């Protein structure tokens, strides 16, 4: 299988590994391999760029990772950054307490963002810009992952205060059968949901209450289910539940292990790269606008997407300078009204879409489809996340739109990739089937995966990364393309069989102090000994909370950082996180706290 940039003549060099966060360095290398780039061995000096991109048509491009002033990169680990930037808090809403996901999640996201910025800078160079240096703040990448939750927690009106441990960690999806089998249910319509619970002899009033919680799990990362629903399922064997779900039109996906996913026939191809690309027709480049401040200035994107994965991809492209025109149905996207709202728009929706233009189009009508063809004539990218087969049904697939614009990148951000699974390809069904839910459950001591939309977010980042690679390939070879990415491809990258292991720690945990929580991650003997000096005693986890109760979290954090021990404050309330001065450089202010671009370019 040919990877996106395999035939492009690119090489890259890696920088020195981060001493405390080697999984990020490993993820950068894995992404380079997935893109098809040739790794060029070199002696990486301390302080060297994280990666350098080399090509005969480019001035050398280098990308550096930068820490925030009070969050030094050399003391950042996957664990402490998940604490510092609120990911532990969001995951903890449904898992009982602030805790890490137990996978190299922020390493995967920031590796993709580093490559995305680098590839975009290369596109900008080829279009006449003067971009040679890229900086990425991993803390900014981490905050992007929780952007919609941060918006909900900091809205000017009706802000949500959803703290870890407020809800019963056992009263949430996934569900459990009489044999103890864990499974996810999924439907995008309330009617099959109500039929299913009626068949289980649960009242319609309770089913309706459960539906509201079930529907909002994507937005709030909690989904407390009524006991009547949980008990009704727990009385029946899985086979009976499966039959009832099929009769009612509700999808059911049993949780699988990573090992089961690795044994699937489609896994080797998916693991090799999270994108599949087919070249389109040869195309004569149109007029170019040399980008001045951001590398994708002059690139126009049409986006027809719902929920998180596709809109986040479009949002990232706007942060790189692209003009994104969002196509919404007549009357606008229904998610615009999801509370909390500001100025008539959902703050969660606004967090992913406020930088875009909006055009309302009825894609079901001939006039609407003709309008899309006309818009594509001046576009560089068409991005959608419609149900499988819908683009062809509407005559808006790659072949159709290449007739309007041969140089178009037709990008599909889907769910299942090449896997044949009879269920909607949504975050939680893919978590269950891919093994991500089982891995997170094992690490968290919970029953299932995370209700944080981990794969929607990572899938959106992966989609945008692939689009940047496809734009670069087009600049070099002059043709459009068809690009597919998926939530399952993102999951396979996250749980990469060969390089997905978490770093081992001598002492790792979230501990109470006199006024809050402190995350500590001693990975080396030197760090463990330094912590012993800070505490004045051996850091026995059984007695550590009693010792840390002697001072504030801020005091302990300062002492740990001065001693070279990776540590961070673990805020439980995102509203408090939003005013943490350490994170101020990565945050902006709208009617809520927004997340700034993690990149800078020179």
């Amino acid at each position: 299988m040919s990877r996106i940039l395999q035939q492009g003549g690119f090489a890259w060099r890696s920088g020195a590994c981060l001493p405390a966060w080697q999984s990020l360095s490993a993820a950068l290398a894995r992404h380079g391999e997935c893109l098809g780039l040739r790794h060029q061995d070199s002696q990486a000096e301390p302080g060297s760029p994280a990666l350098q991109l080399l090509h005969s048509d480019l001035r050398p491009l280098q990308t550096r990772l930068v820490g925030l002033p009070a969050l030094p990169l050399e003391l950042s680990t996957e664990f402490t950054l998940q604490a510092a930037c609120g990911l532990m808090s969001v995951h903890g809403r449904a898992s009982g307490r602030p805790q890490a996901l137990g996978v190299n999640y922020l390493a995967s996201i920031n590796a993709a963002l580093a490559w995305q910025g680098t590839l975009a800078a290369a596109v900008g160079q080829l279009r006449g810009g003067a971009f040679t240096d890229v900086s990425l703040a991993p803390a900014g990448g981490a905050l992007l992952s929780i952007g919609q939750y941060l918006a909900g927690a900091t809205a000017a009106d009706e802000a949500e205060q959803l703290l870890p441990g407020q809800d019963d960690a056992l009263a949430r999806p996934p569900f459990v059968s009489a044999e103890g089998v864990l499974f996810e249910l999924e439907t995008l319509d309330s009617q099959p949901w109500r039929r299913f619970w009626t068949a289980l002899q649960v009242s319609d009033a309770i089913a309706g209450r459960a539906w509201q919680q079930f529907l909002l799990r994507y937005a709030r990362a909690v989904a407390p289910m009524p006991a009547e629903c949980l008990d009704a399922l727990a009385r029946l064997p899985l086979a009976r539940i499966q039959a009832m779900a099929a009769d009612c039109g509700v999808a059911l996906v049993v949780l699988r292990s990573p090992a089961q996913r690795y044994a699937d026939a489609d896994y080797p191809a998916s693991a090799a790269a999270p994108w599949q690309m087919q070249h389109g027709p040869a195309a004569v480049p149109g007029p170019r606008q040399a980008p001045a401040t951001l590398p994708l200035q002059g690139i126009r994107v049409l986006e027809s997407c719902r929920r998180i994965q596709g809109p986040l991809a479009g949002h990232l492209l706007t942060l790189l300078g692209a003009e994104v025109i969002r196509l919404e149905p007549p009357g606008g996207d229904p998610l615009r009204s999801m509370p909390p709202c500001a100025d008539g728009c959902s703050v969660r929706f606004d967090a992913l879409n406020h930088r875009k233009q909006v055009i309302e189009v009825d894609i079901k009508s001939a006039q609407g489809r003709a309008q899309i063809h006309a818009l594509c004539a001046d576009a560089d990218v068409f991005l959608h996340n419609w149900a499988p087969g819908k683009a062809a049904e509407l005559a808006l697939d790659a072949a159709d739109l290449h007739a309007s614009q041969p140089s178009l990148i037709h990008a599909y951000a889907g769910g299942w990739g090449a896997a044949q699974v009879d269920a909607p390809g949504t975050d939680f069904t893919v978590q269950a089937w891919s093994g991500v839910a089982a891995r997170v459950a094992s690490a968290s001591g919970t029953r299932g995966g995370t209700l944080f939309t981990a794969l929607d977010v990572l899938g959106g980042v992966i989609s945008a990364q692939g689009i940047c690679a496809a734009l670069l390939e087009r600049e070099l070879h002059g043709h459009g393309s068809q690009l597919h990415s998926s939530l399952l491809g993102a999951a396979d990258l996250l749980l990469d069989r060969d390089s997905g292991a978490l770093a081992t720690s001598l002492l790792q945990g979230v501990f109470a102090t006199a006024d809050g929580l402190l995350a500590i991650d001693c990975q080396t003997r030197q760090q463990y000994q330094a912590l012993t000096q800070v505490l004045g005693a051996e850091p026995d986890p059984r007695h550590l909370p009693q010792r840390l109760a002697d001072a504030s979290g801020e005091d302990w954090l300062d002492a740990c950082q001065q001693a070279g021990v990776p540590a961070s404050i673990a805020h439980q309330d995102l509203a408090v996180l939003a005013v943490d001065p350490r994170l101020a450089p990565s945050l902006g202010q709208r009617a809520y706290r927004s997340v700034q671009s993690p990149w800078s370019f020179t």
Side-chain angles (χ1 to χ4, degrees):
M1 180 189 70
S2 179
R3 293 164 175 160
I4 298 181
L5 296 175
Q6 191 166 334
Q7 308 302 322
F10 287 95
W12 76 285
R13 295 175 184 154
S14 52
C17 286
L18 296 173
W21 199 6
Q22 295 191 23
S23 60
L24 177 53
S25 300
L28 287 168
R30 183 75 183 98
H31 279 251
E33 180 183 355
C34 288
L35 289 164
L37 305 180
R38 177 173 56 85
H39 186 254
Q40 191 175 92
D41 291 331
S42 62
Q43 186 66 37
E45 300 293 335
S48 60
L51 65 91
Q52 298 178 69
L53 185 64
L54 309 172
H55 189 273
S56 58
D57 291 341
L58 291 170
R59 297 184 299 282
L61 269 162
Q62 58 182 20
T63 297
R64 296 183 180 276
L65 304 176
V66 295
L68 299 181
L71 285 173
L73 196 58
E74 62 272 16
L75 291 181
S76 294
T77 73
E78 177 75 34
F79 187 82
T80 62
L81 200 60
Q82 285 195 26
C85 295
L87 188 55
M88 282 190 185
S89 174
V90 177
H91 174 48
R93 291 179 180 181
S95 65
R97 66 185 191 278
Q99 57 187 314
L101 289 176
V103 291
N104 290 316
Y105 188 74
L106 295 183
S108 297
I109 279 186
N110 278 295
L113 292 173
W115 276 110
Q116 186 178 333
T118 306
L119 299 174
V123 172
Q125 258 200 42
L126 293 173
R127 293 174 68 86
F131 304 100
T132 56
D133 292 274
V134 183
S135 294
L136 171 74
L143 287 166
L144 274 173
S145 73
I146 61 136
Q148 67 153 336
Y149 305 101
L150 185 65
T154 58
D157 297 313
E158 300 179 338
E160 298 171 335
Q161 190 178 40
L162 298 168
L163 303 179
Q166 283 185 330
D167 292 288
D168 184 352
L170 297 178
R172 46 150 284 193
F175 302 94
V176 187
S177 71
E179 311 97 323
V181 177
L182 297 170
F183 59 91
E184 285 285 354
L185 297 173
E186 185 62 283
T187 175
L188 305 180
D189 188 335
S190 65
Q191 293 308 308
W193 175 267
R194 290 178 181 273
R195 288 196 299 268
F196 176 71
W197 294 109
T198 297
L200 283 161
Q201 299 184 335
V202 173
S203 74
D204 190 64
I206 291 173
R209 180 157 53 92
W211 171 250
Q212 290 302 315
Q213 298 292 350
F214 186 76
L215 187 66
L216 287 172
R217 72 198 192 283
Y218 284 92
R220 305 180 72 194
V222 292
M225 291 286 105
E228 294 89 342
C229 296
L230 300 172
D231 293 344
L233 292 171
R235 287 192 292 264
L236 295 178
L238 179 67
R240 176 63 178 144
I241 299 170
Q242 287 174 318
M244 296 172 73
D247 287 345
C248 297
V250 173
L252 186 153
V253 178
V254 173
L255 266 67
R256 305 197 308 162
S257 69
Q260 288 175 294
R261 172 57 185 151
Y262 300 153
D264 289 335
D266 69 296
Y267 177 78
S270 180
W275 314 277
Q276 296 79 46
M277 188 176 81
Q278 294 181 353
H279 289 158
V284 177
R288 294 170 180 265
Q289 173 188 335
T293 57
L294 291 172
L296 294 190
Q297 286 174 330
I299 296 291
R300 176 173 292 178
V301 179
L302 301 179
E303 176 209 299
S304 181
C305 297
R306 293 284 305 278
R307 291 184 179 263
I308 299 168
Q309 176 193 15
L312 176 58
H315 179 65
L316 292 171
L317 295 174
T318 68
L319 295 177
L320 291 166
E323 174 194 9
V324 177
I325 300 172
R326 181 171 167 78
L327 306 180
E328 297 189 9
D333 191 314
L335 293 181
R336 287 181 173 274
S337 60
M338 178 180 287
C341 294
D343 300 323
C345 182
S346 166
V347 295
R348 275 189 285 259
F349 182 92
D350 192 72
L352 296 180
N353 296 293
H354 68 273
R355 300 173 62 90
K356 304 168 186 175
Q357 302 176 42
V358 177
I359 297 177
E360 294 187 7
V361 178
D362 181 6
I363 63 173
K364 297 178 181 179
S365 71
Q367 181 181 4
R369 294 192 293 273
Q371 186 178 1
I372 290 177
H373 276 273
L375 289 167
C376 281
D378 295 321
D380 298 280
V381 178
F382 180 78
L383 169 64
H384 76 90
N385 65 352
W386 302 331
K390 186 173 181 180
E393 176 188 325
L394 295 172
L396 293 173
D397 64 9
D400 298 310
L401 294 183
H402 279 147
S404 302
Q405 173 57 286
S407 65
L408 189 73
I409 308 299
H410 187 281
Y412 174 45
W416 291 116
Q420 300 298 311
V421 183
D422 187 17
T426 59
D427 191 297
F428 305 120
T429 58
V430 177
Q431 274 196 52
W433 199 79
S434 66
V436 167
R439 179 68 62 81
V440 170
S442 175
S444 301
T446 56
R447 196 171 64 191
T450 181
L451 290 186
F452 159 63
T453 51
L455 295 185
D456 270 336
V457 171
L458 182 57
V461 175
I462 293 297
S463 174
Q465 181 188 5
I467 289 169
C468 289
L471 286 169
L472 179 55
E473 211 272 346
R474 185 188 72 169
E475 289 297 323
L476 291 171
H477 298 119
H479 50 67
S481 62
Q482 180 177 10
L483 179 75
H484 285 188
S485 65
S486 68
L487 298 180
L488 183 58
D492 290 338
L493 190 61
L494 181 62
L495 293 191
D496 180 64
R497 178 169 51 190
D498 299 320
S499 60
L502 282 167
T504 56
S505 295
L506 298 177
L507 184 145
Q508 184 184 84
V510 179
F511 304 99
T513 70
D515 63 352
L517 299 179
L518 183 72
I520 300 175
D521 187 13
C522 292
Q523 295 184 355
T524 67
R525 189 68 191 169
Q526 291 82 357
Q527 292 168 352
Y528 187 87
Q529 291 171 339
L531 182 60
T532 301
Q533 293 294 320
V534 168
L535 297 172
E538 187 84 7
D540 186 333
R542 294 171 298 177
H543 307 304
L544 199 51
Q546 182 177 355
R547 177 71 182 95
L548 293 175
D550 292 342
S552 70
E554 294 289 346
D555 290 340
W556 287 120
L557 177 61
D558 290 343
C560 285
Q561 289 189 339
Q562 290 176 19
V565 176
S568 63
I569 299 295
H571 294 296
Q572 299 191 70
D573 187 345
L574 295 187
V576 176
L577 176 145
V579 294
D580 187 332
R582 281 176 290 267
L583 301 174
S586 291
L587 297 175
Q589 186 67 53
R590 293 177 59 76
Y592 54 88
R593 288 294 266 170
S594 59
V595 182
Q596 306 281 53
S597 173
W599 299 286
S600 61
F601 299 89
T602 54

